Amino acid sequence: MTAPATGTATGPEAVPGTGIRLKAPAPGWAIEADVVVVGSGVAGLTAALRCAAAGRRTVVVTKARLDDGSTRWAQGGIAAALGDGDTPEQHLDDTLVAGAGLCDEAAVRTLVTEGPDAVHRLIAAGARFDTTPEGDEIALTREGGHHRRRIAHAGGDATGAEISRALVEAVRAAGLRTIENALVLDLLTDEAGRTAGVTLHVMGEGQHDGVGAVHAPAVVLATGGMGQVFSATTNPAVSTGDGVALALRAGAEISDLEFVQFHPTVLYLGPEAEGQQPLISEAVRGEGAHLVDADGTRFMVGQHELAELAPRDIVAKAILRRSLEQGVDHMYLDGRHFGAPMWESRFPTILAACRSHGIDPVTEPIPVAPAAHYASGGVRTDLHGRTTVPGLYACGEVACTGVHGANRLASNSLLEGLVFAERIAADIAATDIAEGGSAPRTADRPAPVAAGRTAAPRTTLPLLAPETRTAVQRIMTAGAGVLRSAESLARAAAELDRIHQEATAAAAAEADAQEAAQKAPEPGVEAWEATNLLCVARVLVAAARRREETRGCHWREDHPDRDDASWRRHFRITLDADRALTLRTTEDAGFPPALP
């Protein structure tokens, strides 16, 4: 990819395919379906169950085991207007405030109005949420940015694990076909440019071995986030931006990728800590824990009306400011006043995680610092989860529905995955075969071809050596982390370009049977993941350089103020056939339709 072109896009024009695909062996096996769902979190499994219930032959592809996605790690809960006195309108207001002027209000209204019923359907599917002492109502708590107690939780602080359990059991009971331990590679399209399935690599423990294909006229991306693009994150190791990278290569639009939410309270394990870090749920603050510095001073008091329960970007910035002022790397979360019984019953998972690292929250404050947590942007969709590529859908963290804007409101993520997965399934079920939609491929339908539309020549993306993953993470943490500037982002862009150019040179030398400074890596999971991470890193940095303001979780030290006149709009980023990025802007904070 080269430097992005810029411009203003005013219409919903279709985006041509790029013809770019990952270097991989040709598929050695294939299966047929009506729908392939990629991902097994709340979004993916909900979409799969609903599609199957509508009579569509559905296949679930997941990178690890069915219950190993990001959903399982969600602690706090799922937000919905379920309590007495609460309303969808109040939930909408809190979401819009947190999104710092960039939420698509129609998407937010869809979320908050359909959310309560979606939660009740989740309960009917088997999810068991914590109840009040009387046992007749769902117990609700508060988190940052919420003015009411509207967070439903399970197992104290194991909400995601319970939702995952219920959905996995439902999928198995329904007999859905699943392919586990499979990394999706690229989108297949037919001769008309419509989605026709995916290629994937099964990592030795699934139903097939090696590279294969699932042929289906509807593909639902529910691959989760890209937190592994940074050195320290709350995301599991599988969160390497695979869905966003696939969508870019397929010609889909990406939006708002610069808005990466850094969770303010992640267990601080030292300056050299890398990989997935233990999350200290916002619900701990919702129950009354205080943020303090080493002297015990509550530094959030007076900075925001909600103090410790301010939106996450505000709390993360406050922690960093205080740390910089005092010349330290972290602050503390003090919940000693809870007492052992509350820690053990309400936050057993967090208590165990802290104690495993030698910290006892019952008797001492917890050292905390921000770490990469959630991608507010992703593959741009409309209100039915449709992307700019016909037949390709996206939901959950991989998608950009417009709900989160510049900063996600706490616990809206599980709800977004749930609501928009249901809407995707409804759209697929309603699509008629004559429209070339999600009905089975028939003899008169074109056969699938290699990734990328046939109008564009197909090229192979140079792969990165597996060890490059660490280099990309360190570059992103130093240059595009919580604090950003023109200088830090330019340095990150240059270093990422160098890695890309070296990989391109190695691939070209190998193709010409010449000596190269480094040998081009062989196709494999680690090389594919590193290549995907570099792809999403370069898009994130390009967008962050272009957005010359501070808004939500995008913090530019050289542009410390929010600039609505210039930047209350979204970027629409695509990858061209020559691997250059094209970056356009919307006219305002709303999204145009995903498809003409």
Side-chain angles (χ1 to χ4, degrees), residues 43 95 203 215 230 232 260 293 475 542 545:
T95 301
M203 296 176 270
H215 296 157
F230 295 96
V260 176
D293 60 20
I475 289 167
R545 293 182 76 185

Side-chain angles (χ1 to χ4, degrees), residues 1 70 133 278 428 472 489 515 573:
M1 292 182 288
S70 293
I428 290 173
V472 171
L489 290 166
E515 289 293 325
I573 302 175

Side-chain angles (χ1 to χ4, degrees), residues 1 166 233 385 466 586:
M1 292 182 288
T233 177
T586 59

Side-chain angles (χ1 to χ4, degrees), residues 433-505:
I433 185 171
E435 298 172 3
S438 56
R441 187 165 49 87
T442 58
D444 60 348
R445 288 177 59 82
V449 297
R453 298 194 189 181
T454 54
R458 293 188 291 278
T459 59
T460 299
L461 194 66
L463 297 181
L464 297 188
E467 58 269 22
T468 311
R469 174 173 179 157
T470 300
V472 171
Q473 291 169 331
R474 291 176 177 172
I475 289 167
M476 292 298 290
T477 297
V482 181
L483 293 175
R484 302 168 178 174
S485 67
E487 181 181 354
S488 75
L489 290 166
R491 185 170 60 249
E495 292 172 346
L496 295 173
D497 283 345
R498 175 185 54 78
I499 292 174
H500 175 69
Q501 290 164 6
E502 289 175 354
T504 301

